[in-house]
Amino acid sequence: MKRRQARNTKMQAVALTALLFSLATVVLAEDGYRLWLRYEPLPSGARPTIAAIVAAGDSPTAKAVRDELVAGCSGLLGRTIAVAERVEQDGTIVVGTPKSSPLIAGLKLPLTTLGNEGFVIRSAKLNGRSVIAIAANTEVGALYGAFHFLRLLQAQQPIFPLNISQKPRLQLRMLNHWDNLDGSIERGYAGRSLWNWSELPDKVDPRLRDYARANASLGINATALNNVNANAKSLNAEYLRKTAAIAAVFRPYGMRVFLSARFSAPMELGGLKTADPLNAEVAAWWKQKADEIYALIPDFGGFLVKANSEGQPGPRTYNRDHVDGANMLAAAVAPHNGIVIWRAFVYDMKDGYDRAAAAYDNLQPFDGKFAANVLLQVKNGPIDFQPREPFHPLFGGMPKTQLMPELQITQEYLGFSNHLAFLAPMWREFLDADTFAKGKGSTVTKIADGSLYNQKLTGIAGVANTGSDRNWNGHHFAQANWYAFGRLAWNPDLSSKQLADEWVRATFTNDPKAVRTLTRLLLESHEAVVDYMTPLGLHHIMWAGHHYGPAPWWDKERRDDWNPTYYHRADEKGLGFDRTKTGSNSVSQYFPAVRDRFADLRTCPENLLVWFHHVPWDHRLKSGRIFWDELALHYQRGVDWVRTARKDWDALSGVIDAGRHEAVARKLAIQERDAAHWRDACLLYFQTFSKRPLPSGVEKPQKTLDEYKAKSLSW
Ligand code: GCW
């Protein structure tokens, strides 16, 4: 019986690889669908010896491990690598858990400290043969190990001998989807939502499995399906059944599902008169709702909540506070080991207030008051996912609260899916930022991973950039941001360079020259975008509403703090928001060492200058140039970068497949148009205050300011 099963599995595997090959050569042009999991043959000189795969277990996860290793090894080595029953040759991969595999058990590998998700990859001897053992305490751990092994192969890393032992540094590694139930996506630039609500639960798009698989390849283990601007309907019985069907597809890949909860759902769904968190009926409604959800989805993650922010209901609607709201929900999911992720993106407008100070003012006083199963989700910067922000002062500012960074993978303020902007360097800047909360070396990473304050529950979220577009992310290079987010969530110490290198090799090519060019473009791209959009600390000067393209002149929004003019404060004297003592003094929310550095115009990092200071137009910078000239040259530099990037990309036309080459070339053309538009519109407008000529080296604007004001950039 066992033997027949193994033979069947082997035949299935051979058939599967044959199918994959024919698909790869016949049907699939390179359209980006396969992401970084293409498994194209390595150069013939770079193929290590892999003979067979011995994989134990019959669960869906064990099957996923086996399929991945067979497809991956076969693809990369350019020949079928089949499943074997026992170790008979050198170069056999043995994968499993001590429970599922007697071979793995026999190796007695050091797994005890690796938890539920870690893995070991080790060269070992079995039956006198050299093998590669991929072992973990759980099957999901083995899956992560398998993906890691394939990543090493793809990046042409040596695999003999291997001695790798890893576990994730953060527990909750999560995508937040801002997907609406009608299939649209708030701030989504890659098509429609992947969740086919109208067809669920009877019909589940097979693509969802590929989505889960891609996430598992990075170690992403959770996903919140619906927009934080939530519709209560997502919690009704009908939609919960749909969510359960999605959760069933994700489960084998180690992904748990969360839902954004609308705080007023007890009224909208339950017919209650209030959603007051201290009302007993309200609390009972949520408890019952949690019971209902967990009966359908036993491993449901919990709720993500945007409360009292941008029109969303919340506890303050009932004169209660954030702790009342979060802890009431936390109590409802606690019996099921559920989690509540409460967002700190709260900024009530008050006269003369500084929006950058608002979240800290609103949440910091509650330090130490949130329940043990609450995570407070804090955006990387104090305003809103700008191309560059200083780190959010809540990091370090709430030692007794479990914080969870929220990053934005989708490029709301960074050129949508039209601009090449690799965000790993921006996230590194944030993770490496030193808060000085417990003296030097108190980095954001150490707060996020729980080590600084001994935080028990840890996590990180990225607002997803996925959609129904064939290539998932709209721009082929936007895949790199999904990739980098996931890898950093697993190990927040990874360098941008390593991430770029891994991604390029897996996604495009191992050609050495191309790898050099592409990693360089990736690594330079974010700074270039900052240069042509918001250099030297500028922020939130995008066209209101859609946030594509510049509108620094805009002052018509109902709320002052939705207007670009509120943020840059340009006048005859200079440019920038004074957040020092002479201004809003929100810089004082940082610990003294950071505060003093930011608050002094001489020590403030130049790339954050007008974030913290109203800088005189003729202020001298380190370059020796005055501020106005430097500003103009930054804008020009950004445009120049895109031009060079286009040439670099064009030169790769023989190396990159035609389909993707052309698609990216088209995007880069848009990026150049937009960069020039940004430069001209911003400089013409700021020039009405600076009253100075453009320095030499900066091109003459293509249109008049009025023309730029008349019509926003289109995407
Ligand atoms: O960045 C802003 C976006 C909103 C978003 C909000 C948030 C989901 O412009 O579209 O709403 O942040 O993070 O809640």
Side-chain angles (χ1 to χ4, degrees):
M1 183 62 195
K2 263 244 158 89
R3 183 157 300 177
R4 195 166 56 230
Q5 231 173 34
R7 208 173 37 237
N8 281 345
T9 328
K10 187 167 171 174
M11 274 160 46
Q12 273 166 13
V14 174
L16 179 74
T17 348
L19 180 74
L20 279 173
F21 276 133
S22 59
L23 279 179
T25 47
V26 185
V27 188
L28 289 179
E30 294 281 5
D31 57 11
Y33 186 82
R34 293 183 296 163
L35 295 160
W36 47 88
L37 301 171
R38 288 162 62 251
Y39 303 139
E40 285 292 301
L42 293 167
S44 49
R47 299 181 193 169
T49 315
I50 293 176
I53 294 153
V54 176
D58 290 313
S59 71
T61 304
K63 194 174 163 312
V65 173
R66 192 158 44 230
D67 289 352
E68 201 65 40
L69 283 171
V70 167
C73 293
S74 302
L76 289 164
L77 299 186
R79 63 189 175 84
T80 304
I81 308 293
V83 172
E85 250 183 282
R86 59 179 79 84
V87 176
E88 281 165 348
Q89 306 169 68
D90 285 336
T92 300
I93 296 171
V94 181
V95 59
T97 68
K99 234 166 121 193
S100 71
S101 160
L103 289 176
I104 291 291
L107 284 172
K108 300 211 181 332
L109 295 164
L111 296 171
T112 36
T113 57
L114 295 182
N116 284 334
E117 296 182 305
F119 57 81
V120 161
I121 308 178
R122 244 211 216 169
S123 309
K125 285 271 180 200
L126 275 173
N127 283 351
R129 301 288 177 191
S130 328
V131 302
I132 297 164
I134 304 178
N137 291 318
T138 66
E139 287 179 335
V140 167
L143 181 63
Y144 291 155
F147 275 118
H148 191 72
F149 176 71
L150 292 169
R151 186 157 41 237
L152 296 177
L153 284 186
Q154 298 210 70
Q156 298 191 354
Q157 297 296 307
I159 59 159
F160 296 109
L162 280 179
N163 186 4
I164 293 173
S165 163
Q166 287 195 6
K167 63 175 174 186
R169 289 262 295 282
L170 298 155
Q171 292 158 29
L172 208 57
R173 306 175 298 280
M174 175 179 214
L175 291 183
N176 287 180
H177 289 271
W178 289 353
D179 291 23
N180 300 312
L181 300 186
D182 66 3
S184 63
I185 304 178
E186 182 154 349
R187 312 305 177 186
Y189 315 107
R192 308 270 299 163
S193 172
L194 289 168
W195 329 134
N196 47 334
W197 293 115
S198 60
E199 295 175 344
L200 285 161
D202 304 324
K203 208 170 145 240
V204 186
D205 186 344
R207 189 163 179 172
L208 298 200
R209 187 185 151 271
D210 292 336
Y211 163 88
R213 183 177 152 245
N215 281 315
S217 77
L218 308 172
I220 291 173
N221 66 357
T223 181
L225 298 179
N226 59 321
N227 193 349
V228 289
N229 291 328
N231 186 331
K233 223 164 76 179
S234 67
L235 296 175
N236 75 19
E238 185 197 350
Y239 272 84
L240 289 177
R241 275 196 304 278
K242 296 170 189 277
T243 294
I246 296 179
V249 178
F250 293 175
R251 191 166 295 121
Y253 294 89
M255 294 244 299
R256 291 165 76 192
V257 159
F258 284 69
L259 288 173
S260 294
R262 184 164 167 88
F263 202 77
S264 51
M267 302 165 73
E268 283 139 354
L269 298 183
L272 301 191
K273 293 224 164 46
T274 175
D276 180 346
L278 299 191
N279 176 296
E281 269 181 277
V282 170
W285 186 89
W286 280 109
K287 252 194 175 340
Q288 203 193 11
K289 187 47 78 182
D291 295 346
E292 180 190 349
I293 297 174
Y294 280 92
L296 285 169
I297 312 167
D299 56 354
F300 181 67
F303 296 130
L304 168 63
V305 190
K306 171 174 178 177
N308 294 119
S309 164
E310 298 184 332
Q312 293 301 303
R316 295 222 309 238
T317 318
Y318 310 95
N319 286 324
R320 311 298 183 191
D321 60 38
H322 287 282
V323 170
D324 295 329
N327 288 359
M328 180 274 294
L329 289 175
V333 295
H336 310 281
N337 296 318
I339 291 169
V340 167
I341 301 171
W342 195 261
R343 295 178 87 233
F345 182 66
V346 177
Y347 61 105
D348 291 353
M349 217 349 234
K350 291 189 211 103
D351 271 347
Y353 97 133
D354 177 358
R355 172 165 163 192
Y360 185 101
D361 286 346
N362 274 292
L363 273 313
Q364 203 285 332
F366 298 113
D367 188 28
K369 306 240 159 65
F370 288 100
N373 59 334
V374 174
L375 279 160
L376 187 65
Q377 181 164 293
V378 183
K379 290 187 182 182
N380 57 292
I383 300 234
D384 190 13
F385 298 139
Q386 295 304 297
R388 170 165 280 119
E389 297 197 30
F391 69 90
H392 201 302
L394 279 175
F395 292 102
M398 296 186 77
K400 289 178 283 189
T401 303
Q402 308 187 106
L403 299 189
M404 168 174 178
E406 177 178 353
L407 308 174
Q408 195 181 45
I409 310 170
T410 191
Q411 292 167 232
E412 175 181 353
Y413 294 97
L414 286 130
F416 294 7
S417 56
N418 280 339
H419 294 201
L420 194 177
F422 182 48
L423 302 181
M426 177 174 85
W427 296 332
R428 272 256 59 83
E429 204 171 294
F430 161 66
L431 292 164
D432 291 338
D434 196 342
T435 68
F436 279 83
K438 278 173 111 184
K440 196 170 158 48
S442 306
T443 58
V444 169
T445 298
K446 288 189 193 159
I447 292 161
D449 76 5
S451 56
L452 194 73
Y453 291 130
N454 225 335
Q455 184 174 314
K456 295 284 174 294
L457 191 60
T458 59
I460 188 165
V463 179
N465 65 347
T466 49
S468 62
D469 277 6
R470 181 68 193 163
N471 73 4
W472 301 89
N473 305 110
H475 194 310
H476 288 289
F477 278 80
Q479 297 178 353
N481 292 329
W482 181 6
Y483 184 90
F485 168 77
R487 295 280 289 134
L488 283 171
W490 179 275
N491 177 2
D493 288 335
L494 291 173
S495 72
S496 304
K497 179 143 191 297
Q498 181 183 334
L499 295 170
D501 183 82
E502 283 178 7
W503 179 80
V504 165
R505 288 174 186 277
T507 309
F508 278 111
T509 174
N510 267 303
D511 175 87
K513 213 177 122 235
V515 170
R516 267 199 308 279
T517 306
L518 295 179
T519 47
R520 179 174 53 73
L521 289 182
L522 283 168
L523 294 173
E524 292 171 351
S525 59
H526 168 255
E527 200 60 48
V529 175
V530 172
D531 275 338
Y532 66 67
M533 285 189 184
T534 54
L536 299 169
L538 277 168
H539 51 286
H540 223 303
I541 55 171
M542 290 76 188
W543 198 283
H546 55 63
H547 299 158
Y548 192 83
W553 48 80
W554 195 259
D555 59 2
K556 302 273 179 298
E557 292 305 306
R558 163 167 77 75
R559 279 177 61 153
D560 205 19
D561 60 347
W562 287 344
N563 285 315
T565 48
Y566 167 90
Y567 293 97
H568 65 67
R569 311 204 161 193
D571 59 20
E572 278 68 34
K573 289 203 206 89
L575 181 70
F577 197 126
D578 183 358
R579 297 194 159 106
T580 70
K581 267 194 199 139
T582 46
S584 74
N585 201 25
S586 62
V587 71
S588 65
Q589 292 176 339
Y590 292 100
F591 281 84
V594 182
R595 177 198 63 203
D596 294 347
R597 183 160 158 263
F598 286 160
D600 187 336
L601 190 54
R602 288 162 310 182
T603 54
C604 181
E606 287 189 349
N607 62 18
L608 290 172
L609 219 52
V610 302
W611 185 285
F612 289 110
H613 299 272
H614 192 70
V615 181
W617 296 113
D618 62 357
H619 173 70
R620 287 254 163 236
L621 298 190
K622 291 195 187 84
S623 62
R625 285 188 279 267
I626 60 165
F627 172 71
W628 164 252
D629 289 355
E630 196 66 50
L631 184 76
L633 286 164
H634 271 275
Y635 273 108
Q636 181 66 44
R637 197 165 78 186
V639 177
D640 293 343
W641 182 86
V642 186
R643 282 190 191 135
T644 317
R646 288 186 72 184
K647 290 207 190 90
D648 290 336
W649 180 255
D650 287 347
L652 293 176
S653 70
V655 192
I656 307 290
D657 52 282
R660 288 187 297 173
H661 191 272
E662 203 192 305
V664 171
R666 269 201 305 266
K667 295 279 188 184
L668 285 171
I670 300 174
Q671 188 167 2
E672 184 183 334
R673 175 204 69 174
D674 293 355
H677 182 112
W678 266 96
R679 175 199 61 199
D680 295 349
C682 292
L683 289 178
L684 281 172
Y685 170 72
F686 290 134
Q687 198 173 32
T688 63
F689 300 96
S690 82
K691 307 214 163 51
R692 285 162 199 272
L694 293 174
S696 80
V698 177
E699 286 162 44
K700 227 176 109 229
Q702 295 165 353
K703 297 183 196 162
T704 65
L705 180 55
D706 284 338
E707 285 172 295
Y708 289 116
K709 281 181 167 179
K711 198 167 159 292
S712 88
L713 259 175
S714 62
W715 51 95

